[in-house]
Amino acid sequence: MRVFIGLGSNLADPIEQVLTAVKALQLLPDTNVIKSSSLYASPPMGPQDQPDYTNAVVALDTTLSAHNLLDQLQEIELQHGRERNRHWGERTLDLDLLIYGDKIFNDERLQVPHPGMPLRSFVLYPLQEIAPELIIPGMGTIEQLCTQCPLDGLSRIENS
Ligand code: ROI
C-alpha cells in the first residue's frame, strides 16, 4: 500500500528530529521509503507562544496494516522523547498517518485521510512536492486542496 506520513517538530533541534525520523521510517519492517519531501519551516498552528515548526512528508510502500503502522509510528515518537502536553502545543516529534492507499478509516485511533489536511499548508505543499498527481480519498486532488489553502507563512528550507 502507498502511504503518506506527515512529520513535524518544534523542539530539541527540529531539523535533526525530522531527519532522524525519516531514517527510523527507513528501518520499519515490511516497508520501503519511496520519497521524502524537502524540509519546510512553518509558523505554529495553535498557540502562538511556541517555536516555528519543521515539517516534511514522506511516501512509503508498506504491507503493514494501518493500525500496525500507527503502533510503529507512535513507538518512533516515544523514542524521540514525545510527551503528552497541552492541546496543539509544542512537540519533539509528531508522525501523522495522512493517507493509507485509497482506504478510509474512522475509528477511535485512526482518522485517515487525516481530517486536518485541507487547512494545513505544512502538510499539503510538501505532499504536492512529492505526489503532484495525488487524489486524496474523499477530499479531491492535491492540486485543488493546495489552491484552496494559503501558504500561511510556509517556506521551503534551502538545501533540504
Ligand atoms: N503547526 C505547524 N506549523 N506544524 C505542525 O506540524 C503542527 N502540528 C501540530 C499543531 C500543534 C496543530 N500545529 C502545527 O500538531
Side-chain angles (χ1 to χ4, degrees):
M1 201 70 71
R2 176 59 55 88
V3 171
F4 294 90
I5 310 293
L7 299 85
S9 168
N10 71 342
L11 288 180
D13 196 346
I15 290 180
E16 195 57 29
Q17 293 290 344
V18 171
L19 292 175
T20 59
V22 173
K23 288 184 187 152
L25 294 173
Q26 285 166 340
L27 296 175
L28 287 180
D30 306 318
T31 302
N32 289 314
V33 171
I34 303 299
K35 223 166 185 186
S36 302
S37 75
S38 306
L39 302 183
Y40 290 77
S42 61
M45 167 180 271
Q48 293 298 294
D49 61 336
Q50 59 179 319
D52 283 358
Y53 280 78
T54 300
N55 285 109
V57 171
V58 168
L60 308 175
D61 276 341
T62 188
T63 57
L64 296 175
S65 73
H67 289 83
N68 192 338
L69 178 59
L70 180 65
D71 290 335
Q72 307 265 354
L73 297 180
Q74 291 182 345
E75 185 60 34
I76 296 171
E77 287 178 343
L78 290 177
Q79 287 162 4
H80 284 248
R82 171 76 183 262
E83 293 166 25
R84 289 279 144 199
N85 49 21
R86 60 179 170 150
H87 183 60
W88 279 17
E90 47 280 310
R91 63 266 325 268
T92 48
L93 182 65
D94 201 10
L95 297 177
D96 286 334
L97 178 46
L98 301 172
I99 296 169
Y100 188 87
D102 59 0
K103 302 285 181 278
I104 294 177
F105 296 92
N106 272 303
D107 63 46
E108 287 284 283
R109 294 189 66 205
L110 266 186
Q111 290 179 288
V112 173
H114 192 293
M117 279 199 294
L119 298 174
R120 297 186 176 193
S121 61
F122 55 85
V123 171
L124 293 176
Y125 288 88
L127 184 55
Q128 186 184 39
E129 179 192 340
I130 62 171
E133 309 295 337
L134 188 66
I135 299 169
I136 302 171
M139 290 185 181
T141 69
I142 186 65
E143 191 180 4
Q144 290 167 335
L145 289 167
C146 284
T147 302
Q148 292 161 16
C149 183
L151 278 171
D152 287 326
L154 180 78
S155 66
R156 202 173 69 83
I157 299 175
E158 298 280 335
N159 306 317
S160 68

